Amino acid sequence: MSSEYLILQLPSANRVYAEDAPRLMRAELAAFSEAVGGIADIDDVELGGLRYVRFTTPELTEQRLALLSNASSLYGLFERVQPDLLRPVRIRPLDKFDSDLLTIQKYSGKTNEQFTRLLLNVTCLAMAEPLAMLRRPLHVLDPLCGRGTTLNQAMMYGFDATGVELLERDFEAYERFIKTWLRTKRFKHTAESGQLRRQKHKLGRRLDITYAPTKEEFKAGRSRTLSFRATDTLHVDEIFGRHAFDVIVTDAPYGVQHGSRQSGELQRSPRDLLAAAVPVWTRVLKPGGALGISWNDLVLPRAELLDILSRAGLKPREGAPYEQFAHRVDHAIVRDLVVATKPA
Ligand SMILES: C[S@@+](CC[C@H](N)C(=O)[O-])C[C@H]1O[C@@H](n2cnc3c(N)ncnc32)[C@H](O)[C@@H]1O
C-alpha cells in the first residue's frame, strides 16, 4: 500500500511562475522519480483553500526523502494520514548556507533562483549516476554565468563552482558580493584575483576562492572552490582542459534585452552562440556528466537546439517530463530547458 504526500510550494514560486508553478513542480517530481523510482500519482489537490502538489510512494525511503527535499519550490512536505489531516515531514535539503546567499543580489537580468535550482536539479539527475548529487561534491560550470546565480546555488549544495562571463562589470559585481558575503558570515576563505592569460595573451580576468564554513573544515582540507573567469565562453576548453566538470548548467541569453555577446559586441543570436559554444562546453564535461540549458523558445526552436546538442555528441533527454518545463516569463520570453548526457 502506498502512502500519500502533499507538497506546499513556496509562496514566491507562484509569483514567479504565475499559474505554472504546480505544473513545473510536477515535472520536477517526475524527473526525481526517473532517478530514484517509486514516486507516482503526481497531481494537484486543494485543501483548506490552499493548493498542494500530491504524490504517492510505497515508502518514503531515506534516498527519496533526501532527493525530494531539494525540490526547487518546496516549502513544506506533509504525509496525508487522513483526507483532511496532514503530518509534517522533516525535510533534509543539501543546503549548506542561509538562503540570503541566493537572494541578496538583485539586478536586472538575474535568473530566478528557484528556476536555477530546478535546472541544476534536473541536470544532475540526468548524469550517468543520477544520485551523484547526494553522494559527493560535484563540480559545476556555468559558462554564461552573469552575476553568479548558478554559482551560488552550487555553493548552497556544497559543490565546487566555476563561472565564465564576458562582461567585466558582472565579474566585478560578483567579486564584490561574494567577498563581502564570506567576510560578513565569517567563513574561513582565501581569495586571489588577477589577469587571465594564456600563452602571454590577455584573455580577461580571474577570481579564485577557497572557502569552508568552519576553520576546522578549512584546515582539514574539506574546503570548496569557487572560480570566476571574465572572458568569452568560447575559451572554456583552453582554460580548463578536458573533462574538468561533472555538470554544466546555464541560462542562455534570451536574445531580447540581454544580448549574446562575442568579443564584447552584440553579434550573435543565441542560436549562433550555442552552436559555437556547445561543442566547446562538451569537451570540458566529464563522460557521464550532463549539460542543462535554459533558453528562450521564441528565438530558437527546441528541435534546433536538440540538433546542436546531438551533433556535439550529447544525448538529449526527450519525452516527458523533460518536455514539460516550458513556461512564459514575459511577452517576449517563453523559457524552456533541455538536458543532455555525455556518454560515459
Ligand atoms: C541570461 S544571462 C545569465 C544570467 C545569470 N544566470 C544570472 O543570474 O546572473 C546570459 C549571460 O550570457 C553572457 N554572455 C553572452 N555571450 C557571452 C559569451 N560569448 N561569453 C561569455 N558570456 C556571454 C551575457 O553577458 C549574460 O550575462
Side-chain angles (χ1 to χ4, degrees):
M1 243 252 319
S2 279
S3 304
E4 194 178 339
Y5 291 87
L6 302 187
I7 293 175
L8 188 59
Q9 289 188 271
L10 283 161
S12 55
N14 281 303
R15 280 201 297 278
V16 175
Y17 301 127
E19 281 304 294
D20 293 321
R23 179 171 60 79
L24 293 172
M25 169 67 95
R26 291 198 304 271
E28 190 178 4
L29 288 186
F32 282 131
S33 185
E34 288 217 343
V36 78
I39 299 168
D41 307 314
I42 303 168
D43 59 13
D44 292 354
V45 291
E46 202 215 283
L47 211 64
L50 291 178
R51 276 174 89 183
Y52 294 78
V53 173
R54 186 187 85 106
F55 67 91
T56 65
T57 180
E59 194 192 347
L60 193 59
T61 57
E62 287 283 300
Q63 214 168 51
R64 286 181 190 137
L65 177 61
L67 260 191
L68 286 169
S69 296
N70 298 301
S72 58
S73 61
L74 183 144
Y75 189 37
L77 175 65
F78 303 89
E79 184 180 357
R80 194 175 196 177
V81 285
Q82 285 173 24
D84 58 356
L85 193 58
L86 305 183
R87 177 189 297 141
V89 178
R90 184 172 294 279
I91 55 166
R92 294 194 284 103
L94 285 170
D95 296 9
K96 301 279 183 281
F97 303 109
D98 296 341
S99 62
D100 65 354
L101 173 60
L102 299 164
T103 54
I104 288 176
Q105 282 182 296
K106 303 220 183 321
Y107 51 92
S108 126
K110 178 174 180 179
T111 309
N112 164 261
E113 55 269 16
Q114 278 153 27
F115 178 75
T116 301
R117 187 173 177 116
L118 171 72
L119 180 60
L120 179 60
N121 285 343
V122 177
T123 308
C124 289
L125 295 169
M127 292 175 67
E129 183 195 350
L131 297 180
M133 66 184 286
L134 299 180
R135 294 181 178 148
R136 57 192 157 88
L138 302 177
H139 194 165
V140 178
L141 169 70
D142 183 344
L144 303 164
C145 72
R147 296 189 188 183
T149 311
T150 308
L151 308 184
N152 295 340
Q153 182 54 60
M155 286 174 73
M156 247 337 214
Y157 277 176
F159 296 169
D160 292 322
T162 297
V164 175
E165 165 60 49
L166 194 59
L167 297 183
E168 291 212 2
R169 62 162 195 262
D170 283 357
F171 173 88
E172 286 161 6
Y174 187 71
E175 181 174 20
R176 268 196 309 275
F177 159 72
I178 200 66
K179 284 182 169 173
T180 309
W181 187 84
L182 287 164
R183 259 199 315 271
T184 314
K185 300 274 171 183
R186 297 175 176 276
F187 291 137
K188 178 83 182 148
H189 66 281
T190 59
E192 242 190 275
S193 51
Q195 303 282 353
L196 173 64
R197 293 181 180 280
R198 183 99 190 142
Q199 288 160 353
K200 296 196 180 143
H201 295 290
K202 180 175 184 258
L203 291 185
R205 293 168 65 180
R206 59 175 196 85
L207 168 69
D208 288 291
I209 293 180
T210 303
Y211 66 97
T214 64
K215 236 184 223 167
E216 292 67 37
E217 284 175 87
F218 194 86
K219 273 199 194 134
R222 288 197 303 278
S223 46
R224 300 266 62 89
T225 64
L226 171 64
S227 303
F228 198 129
R229 301 287 179 268
T231 191
D232 194 299
T233 196
L234 298 182
H235 294 309
V236 152
D237 56 345
E238 297 166 51
I239 302 172
F240 302 108
R242 286 160 67 84
H243 305 171
F245 303 99
D246 299 289
V247 165
I248 301 178
V249 170
T250 205
D251 185 28
Y254 291 108
V256 192
Q257 67 272 54
H258 312 287
S260 325
R261 290 187 173 78
Q262 163 77 356
S263 308
E265 289 179 17
L266 268 181
Q267 284 181 355
R268 291 167 179 255
S269 72
R271 173 192 284 109
D272 294 344
L273 174 68
L274 290 171
V278 166
V280 177
W281 298 343
T282 303
R283 285 197 277 281
V284 299
L285 189 59
K286 286 184 188 158
L291 166 65
I293 302 176
S294 59
W295 86 103
N296 182 2
D297 211 30
L298 299 180
V299 297
L300 174 62
R302 186 177 186 90
E304 278 187 47
L305 183 50
L306 290 185
D307 192 48
I308 290 173
L309 295 166
S310 303
R311 274 190 278 128
L314 298 171
K315 292 227 168 329
R317 295 294 172 102
E318 294 186 62
Y322 301 98
E323 292 174 4
Q324 295 171 332
F325 289 104
H327 57 282
R328 186 167 284 280
V329 175
D330 61 30
H331 69 284
I333 301 173
V334 172
R335 184 166 53 195
D336 199 354
L337 68 82
V338 64
V339 291
T341 312
K342 181 165 171 174

